[in-house]
Amino acid sequence: MEIWINPACSKCRSAIGLLDAEGAEYTVRRYLEDVPTEDEIREVLTRLGLEPWDITRTQEDAAKELGLKDWPRDASARDRWVRALAEHPKLIQRPIITADDGTAVVARSDEAVRDALARE
């Protein structure tokens, strides 16, 4: 499994702590440094079963500068949203765990981390 994190994020640190406590094997991806491509973002969205606007941190300065709150949230705008996430990775909700069974979770709670662990 892989976990996308921002080390400055308390939810990310909590998720890592729980993974370590459970003895999980995982790879850390610091997604602000190792920025996901548009294709990687699309793949994670498919695994999550979500749309790009569902994993966008809309309160970030970049979101406000881009005017994301006014962007359409439909299929016609999907690529625009994905491109914005790739160009501004700080907008991506965190942490995201990609599980070994091909699914993924936004692991903002201990329950979500445990859900990812159960999918190994």
Side-chain angles (χ1 to χ4, degrees), residues 3 5-20 26 95:
I3 182 169
I5 68 156
N6 171 354
C9 167
S10 63
K11 300 236 184 246
C12 292
R13 292 191 306 271
S14 177
I16 293 283
L18 185 53
L19 291 174
D20 288 344
Y26 61 92

Side-chain angles (χ1 to χ4, degrees), residues 3-5 14 21-22 30-31 36 43 46 53 56 59 65 69 81 97 100 114 116:
I3 182 169
W4 292 9
I5 68 156
S14 177
E22 296 292 330
R30 293 179 178 214
Y31 72 93
E43 179 187 344
T46 298
W53 45 86
T56 301
Q59 296 305 310
E65 290 167 15
K69 70 178 178 125
W81 281 86
I97 297 175
D100 294 338
R114 286 190 180 91

Side-chain angles (χ1 to χ4, degrees), residues 57-65 90-91 94:
R57 297 172 54 85
T58 57
Q59 296 305 310
E60 292 289 335
D61 289 341
K64 292 174 184 172
E65 290 167 15
K90 195 169 189 179
L91 295 176
R94 59 185 183 255

Side-chain angles (χ1 to χ4, degrees), residues 7-116:
C9 167
S10 63
K11 300 236 184 246
C12 292
R13 292 191 306 271
S14 177
I16 293 283
L18 185 53
L19 291 174
D20 288 344
E22 296 292 330
E25 290 187 23
Y26 61 92
T27 302
V28 170
R29 179 171 188 169
R30 293 179 178 214
Y31 72 93
L32 296 179
E33 298 164 16
D34 182 9
V35 178
T37 65
E38 289 182 31
D39 285 343
E40 288 174 313
I41 292 168
R42 283 187 193 90
E43 179 187 344
V44 162
L45 287 166
T46 298
R47 292 173 78 163
L48 287 166
L50 297 174
E51 293 296 337
W53 45 86
D54 295 326
I55 66 161
T56 301
R57 297 172 54 85
T58 57
Q59 296 305 310
E60 292 289 335
D61 289 341
K64 292 174 184 172
E65 290 167 15
L66 292 168
L68 290 184
K69 70 178 178 125
D70 297 324
W71 287 16
R73 295 180 180 215
D74 59 29
S76 70
R78 191 172 200 269
D79 286 341
R80 183 179 181 196
W81 281 86
V82 169
R83 189 169 37 260
L85 293 173
E87 291 174 0
H88 306 276
K90 195 169 189 179
L91 295 176
I92 300 172
Q93 192 60 262
R94 59 185 183 255
I96 293 176
I97 297 175
T98 55
D100 294 338
D101 72 351
T103 62
V105 298
V106 178
R108 295 190 54 78
S109 67
D110 286 354
E111 181 178 288
V113 175
R114 286 190 180 91
D115 181 36

